[in-house]
Amino acid sequence: MPEPRVPALLAGRGFPEYAAISPDQVREQIPLLLSRLSDQFTALEAELDAALEAGTPLSWETVMPPLHQLGEQLRWSWGVVTHLNAVCNTPELREAHAAQQADVVRFSNRLGQSRSLHRALEALDQHPSHPLDQTQQRILAAELLSMHQRGVGLTGEIQAAFNTASERLAELSTLFGNHVLDATQAWYLVLHDPARVAGLPERALEALAAAARKAGDRHVDGGEANAEHGPWRLGLDMPSYLPVLTHADDRQLRETLYRAHVSRASSGDLDNTPLIAEILELRQQQAQRLGHAHWAELSLAGKMAEDVPAVEALLEELRAAAYPTACAELRELQDCARRHGAPEADALAPWDVSYWAEKLR
């Protein structure tokens, strides 16, 4: 008999069956997954505690593969949901994602703050049953650092505040992305004058006319939108935005789309400004709870750069090396614009660069 089909979100490996995943499955399968992983982790903690109490040296195989399997299953399954929520967003999927997010963060915090696991990792680091090679040592060091940054050393009210802030930061990150997505989808511009879309390739005009037809926009004479006569519905999504910035001869049109794009989710009900302020404040608090001066110091703890001045020095080194070439390339674009008689040649703006780079190419 054929084996029973594994639910899409519980597979944990391979290429995700995106088409088979619905909001209802997210609501049903993510709690099942978390329950299963919780039971497995409880069993792993008990096994590690028993070995430590018996004084048995731990091996790499006893600790790391089971831990990796747990983390990878959660990463894979929740990553699928997060990806779908970003690229195929619907109100139903958004609600299902939000409903499960706090529980996912709580389970992740449980993994990162397990004293049993931390003691086992330290024992494996200090007294392994078999010597660890350099790769294993690096992986183990990274895991110990990760647990420190996830609050394993915290206790009592400080740990509770850390966990609450972790959940809120995850919620804010999702809200931030939703605001950007909603602002992108809400903005549009319908054009009826063919002169406004001059320069756009036929393929782009067809796509913009198709968007107009889908939205019910009609030609001034009542006819259906088409690539040749319009109307054309422009938006801030990349398939609509990039062709305009790259090919539209109408400089004012390019500026309109550019300014709308860079100012998304910066006003009204979708304003991300207060979210940014809260994220920064919570990050500062989290860093201080972990013994760091600020979030940048916490972030750099696991990276090659030694400290913030080292990062700034590297950025300045890159800027100094790239600046002369950037200036030369800008002069090339200005020369190209002059050859075409463009009045903006001496003062190219951000919405001119892609256009004149395409002309130069």
Side-chain angles (χ1 to χ4, degrees), residues 209-210 212-214 216-231:
R213 287 195 299 273
K214 184 177 180 180
D217 302 322
R218 310 289 291 187
H219 192 267
V220 288
D221 62 6
E224 189 175 67
N226 61 77
E228 183 178 1
H229 301 293

Side-chain angles (χ1 to χ4, degrees), residues 176 179-180 183-184 259-274 276:
F176 184 100
H179 283 183
V180 173
T184 300
R259 291 188 180 278
H261 190 267
V262 299
S263 62
R264 289 171 299 164
S266 61
S267 62
D269 293 338
L270 300 176
D271 189 2
N272 270 336
T273 304
I276 294 171

Side-chain angles (χ1 to χ4, degrees), residues 298-313:
L298 172 62
S299 176
L300 290 175
K303 299 174 182 175
M304 290 181 64
E306 182 177 350
D307 50 29
V308 172
V311 174
E312 293 177 339

Side-chain angles (χ1 to χ4, degrees), residues 2-299:
E3 294 184 1
R5 192 168 182 271
V6 178
L9 281 173
L10 303 183
R13 62 183 181 277
F15 190 80
E17 296 183 58
Y18 288 111
I21 298 170
S22 67
D24 286 341
Q25 288 178 324
V26 174
R27 297 186 191 96
E28 296 166 2
Q29 294 178 22
I30 292 300
L32 289 175
L33 171 67
L34 292 175
S35 177
R36 187 177 73 185
L37 295 181
S38 179
D39 290 343
Q40 292 175 0
F41 189 58
T42 297
L44 177 60
E45 286 182 308
E47 181 182 349
L48 296 176
D49 284 339
L52 291 172
E53 289 175 9
T56 305
L58 295 174
S59 68
W60 178 268
E61 289 72 22
T62 302
V63 182
M64 300 306 291
L67 177 61
H68 173 77
Q69 186 176 11
L70 281 166
E72 184 63 16
Q73 172 73 84
L74 181 63
R75 184 205 64 79
W76 188 96
S77 300
W78 187 243
V80 169
V81 178
T82 302
H83 178 69
L84 276 177
N85 192 50
V87 303
C88 193
N89 192 280
T90 65
E92 295 77 16
L93 182 58
R94 182 179 293 189
E95 186 278 329
H97 176 274
Q100 304 302 322
Q101 186 173 53
D103 287 337
V104 171
V105 174
R106 290 187 193 108
F107 181 73
S108 180
N109 282 343
R110 181 189 167 193
L111 291 179
Q113 296 172 1
S114 167
R115 299 298 176 84
S116 297
L117 176 60
H118 191 254
R119 287 196 302 269
L121 292 177
E122 288 186 322
L124 181 61
D125 182 42
Q126 298 167 10
H127 306 290
S129 61
H130 302 287
L132 304 181
D133 60 34
Q134 287 188 341
T135 301
Q136 291 172 328
Q137 290 173 12
R138 286 175 61 87
I139 293 172
L140 183 55
E143 193 65 41
L144 284 166
L145 176 61
S146 175
M147 292 194 74
H148 163 71
Q149 294 184 334
R150 289 153 73 184
V152 71
L154 305 179
T155 58
E157 293 182 359
I158 295 179
Q159 187 179 71
F162 181 91
N163 291 342
T164 299
S166 296
E167 293 178 29
R168 179 57 178 164
L169 281 168
E171 180 184 6
L172 289 170
S173 176
T174 299
L175 284 173
F176 184 100
N178 287 343
H179 283 183
V180 173
L181 179 62
D182 290 345
T184 300
Q185 295 177 341
W187 192 97
Y188 67 90
L189 178 65
V190 179
L191 300 178
H192 292 269
D193 183 0
R196 298 294 309 277
V197 295
L200 289 175
E202 184 68 20
R203 183 171 57 185
L205 292 173
E206 291 173 354
L208 297 177
R213 287 195 299 273
K214 184 177 180 180
D217 302 322
R218 310 289 291 187
H219 192 267
V220 288
D221 62 6
E224 189 175 67
N226 61 77
E228 183 178 1
H229 301 293
W232 303 272
R233 176 174 280 246
L234 283 60
L236 300 180
D237 55 296
M238 286 297 109
S240 175
Y241 174 76
L242 287 179
V244 174
L245 265 288
T246 305
H247 299 285
D249 294 333
D250 188 329
R251 188 183 187 222
Q252 184 180 26
L253 178 63
R254 299 198 307 268
E255 179 181 358
T256 297
L257 261 72
Y258 176 87
R259 291 188 180 278
H261 190 267
V262 299
S263 62
R264 289 171 299 164
S266 61
S267 62
D269 293 338
L270 300 176
D271 189 2
N272 270 336
T273 304
L275 271 62
I276 294 171
E278 187 176 355
I279 288 170
L280 292 174
E281 177 63 24
L282 287 175
R283 284 183 171 185
Q284 175 68 18
Q285 293 173 7
Q286 294 293 75
Q288 291 177 339
R289 290 184 181 112
L290 295 173
H292 295 277
H294 42 67
W295 186 263
E297 184 177 279
L298 172 62
S299 176

